[in-house]
Amino acid sequence: MKKILAIAAAGLLTVGFVGCNSKGAAGSSEAMDSLSMAFGDLYGSGMGQQLRSMDSTINIEQALKGMEFIANADTSKNFQMGLQMGMQIAQLYQGIEQQCGMPINKSLFMKHLREAIMKTTPMGQEEMMALQSKIEPLLNKAMEQSPKAIANKKAGEEYMAKLKNDKSYTFTKSGIAYKVLAAGEGKNFSDSDVVKVNYVGRHINGEEFDKSGENPVPFNLKQVIPGFAEMIQLMKPGSKVTVVIPGELAYGPQGNRGIEPNETLIFDIETLGIDDSKPAGPRIQMPVTKKK
C-alpha cells in the first residue's frame, strides 16, 4: 500500500541556454541549421555517455522516443504541468503492476481521473477518507487474482493434499500441518511470549529463503505471521518440528521480500525457551492479510 501511494517526483534534466544575437539573423536558416547540428552533436555525445553509464542494457531507441516526445511537446505552463503529473501516474502504473502482478486498466483509470478532475466541487475530507479505506481491500483482491497468486495457491493446495497421506503430519483446524521431531519439556508457549528460535525457512520446492544462522532469533509471537505464531504455541522449550504453512496463514496475496503471493511455506523450527530481554526485532513480519 505504502509502496504504491509513495510516488516519487520525476527528475528534470537541466541544460544551459545559449543566447543568440538576433541582429541580421532573420531568414538565416543556413546559420540556424549549422547551429542546430552543432548543438545536436554536442548534447547527443554527452547524453549518450550519460545513458550508457546509467544502464549498459538500456534501449537507446526507446530513450530517444521519450526525449523527442518531451522536447517537441507544447512548452506552455499548463501542458508542462500535465507532463509532470503524467510522469507520476506512469510511476503509479508501474508500482501497481509490480505489486499486483498484472497491469492496471489504464482506460478505466484515466476515465475516472478525468471525471474527478473536471468536477467543480472537490471531494470532501470524509468522502476522501472513505475512498482511501476502500483501496487496501481492493488491492488485496487484485493481488489474489494475479496469475502468480492463483498458481501458488493451487501448488500449495496440491502439496498439502499429498501431506494428508503422510501419517507423521498433524493438521490443525486453521490448516497448518506439522511433524514433531522432538517433543521438548515444560509448558507450551503463549502468544505473549518472546521465544528464542532456531529455524530454516524453505519454499515447497525445497529451496531455502531464510534461516536463523549461528545464533537463535527472538520472536515476539504477536509480530509474526499467523501460522508461525500458532505453531510456536503448540511447542515447548526444546521442541523441534517441521511445519507447513499455507499462503493465507503466511504472507497472503502480498508476498514479502522473495516470497511470492499466496506461497505455501515450510519451516524447520527448534524452540530454545523464552527470551526475557528486549527482542532484536522480528525477521518474519505480519502480512497484510491477517488471520480471520
Side-chain angles (χ1 to χ4, degrees):
M1 181 68 174
K2 291 181 180 178
K3 179 181 177 182
I4 285 181
L5 294 179
I7 305 301
L12 298 178
L13 176 63
T14 304
V15 296
F17 177 78
V18 179
C20 293
N21 187 341
S22 62
K23 291 182 179 180
S28 181
S29 60
E30 184 179 345
M32 188 53 71
D33 287 349
S34 297
L35 181 63
S36 300
M37 289 187 287
F39 264 125
D41 290 339
L42 178 63
Y43 274 72
S45 178
M47 287 181 176
Q49 292 179 38
Q50 183 181 4
L51 285 170
R52 289 178 178 86
S53 66
M54 290 167 60
D55 185 350
S56 60
T57 64
I58 194 165
N59 185 318
I60 300 296
E61 286 297 331
Q62 289 296 317
L64 280 168
K65 286 180 181 179
M67 286 185 210
E68 290 172 2
F69 177 79
I70 296 297
N72 296 329
D74 186 343
T75 57
S76 69
K77 178 181 177 181
N78 293 335
F79 191 82
Q80 292 294 324
M81 186 184 299
L83 283 177
Q84 291 180 31
M85 291 180 175
M87 291 298 295
Q88 295 178 29
I89 291 171
Q91 291 175 8
L92 175 65
Y93 286 167
Q94 185 178 25
I96 291 175
E97 182 169 357
Q98 288 175 349
Q99 192 158 354
C100 294
M102 54 185 173
I104 193 170
N105 188 321
K106 295 178 182 179
S107 61
L108 278 176
F109 176 92
M110 291 306 300
K111 177 179 181 294
H112 282 258
L113 180 139
R114 174 179 285 274
E115 290 173 355
I117 286 176
M118 297 305 291
K119 286 182 180 177
T120 55
T121 304
M123 189 179 292
Q125 186 68 22
E126 289 186 7
E127 191 178 359
M128 183 80 76
M129 291 177 65
L131 186 56
Q132 287 178 349
S133 68
K134 290 172 61 178
I135 295 293
E136 186 168 317
L138 288 172
L139 185 60
N140 285 334
K141 188 172 182 180
M143 288 189 290
E144 287 172 358
Q145 295 175 0
S146 73
K148 276 190 177 181
I150 292 171
N152 287 332
K153 184 176 177 64
K154 182 180 179 182
E157 289 171 347
E158 291 173 350
Y159 188 88
M160 297 296 278
K162 290 179 182 179
L163 286 186
K164 290 185 177 178
N165 297 321
D166 187 339
K167 300 302 181 183
S168 65
Y169 277 89
T170 300
F171 282 76
T172 68
K173 289 182 180 180
S174 68
I176 69 171
Y178 67 94
K179 175 169 60 176
V180 177
L181 306 176
E185 296 180 351
K187 294 182 179 179
N188 286 54
F189 299 104
S190 71
D191 66 353
S192 61
D193 290 332
V194 175
V195 183
K196 291 183 291 185
V197 175
N198 285 325
Y199 73 95
V200 176
R202 293 178 279 126
H203 303 282
I204 57 176
N205 64 4
E207 181 184 348
E208 286 186 14
F209 61 84
D210 195 14
K211 61 182 176 181
S212 53
E214 296 181 0
N215 299 313
V217 178
F219 283 119
N220 183 331
L221 298 190
K222 294 183 182 294
Q223 295 180 310
V224 295
I225 57 176
F228 198 92
E230 180 184 355
M231 186 67 253
I232 297 292
Q233 291 174 77
L234 294 172
M235 301 173 71
K236 302 172 182 178
S239 295
K240 293 182 181 180
V241 304
T242 295
V243 60
V244 184
I245 303 175
E248 62 268 20
L249 296 175
Y251 296 98
Q254 185 174 3
N256 182 62
R257 292 180 303 177
I259 307 295
E260 291 189 351
N262 283 346
E263 262 204 270
T264 293
L265 303 175
I266 304 169
F267 289 95
D268 297 318
I269 303 173
E270 177 187 15
T271 53
L272 304 179
I274 294 175
D275 187 352
D276 295 324
S277 64
K278 185 177 180 180
R283 292 172 66 182
I284 303 179
Q285 302 291 336
M286 182 70 76
V288 171
T289 304
K290 298 181 181 179
K291 181 180 177 183
K292 295 181 180 178

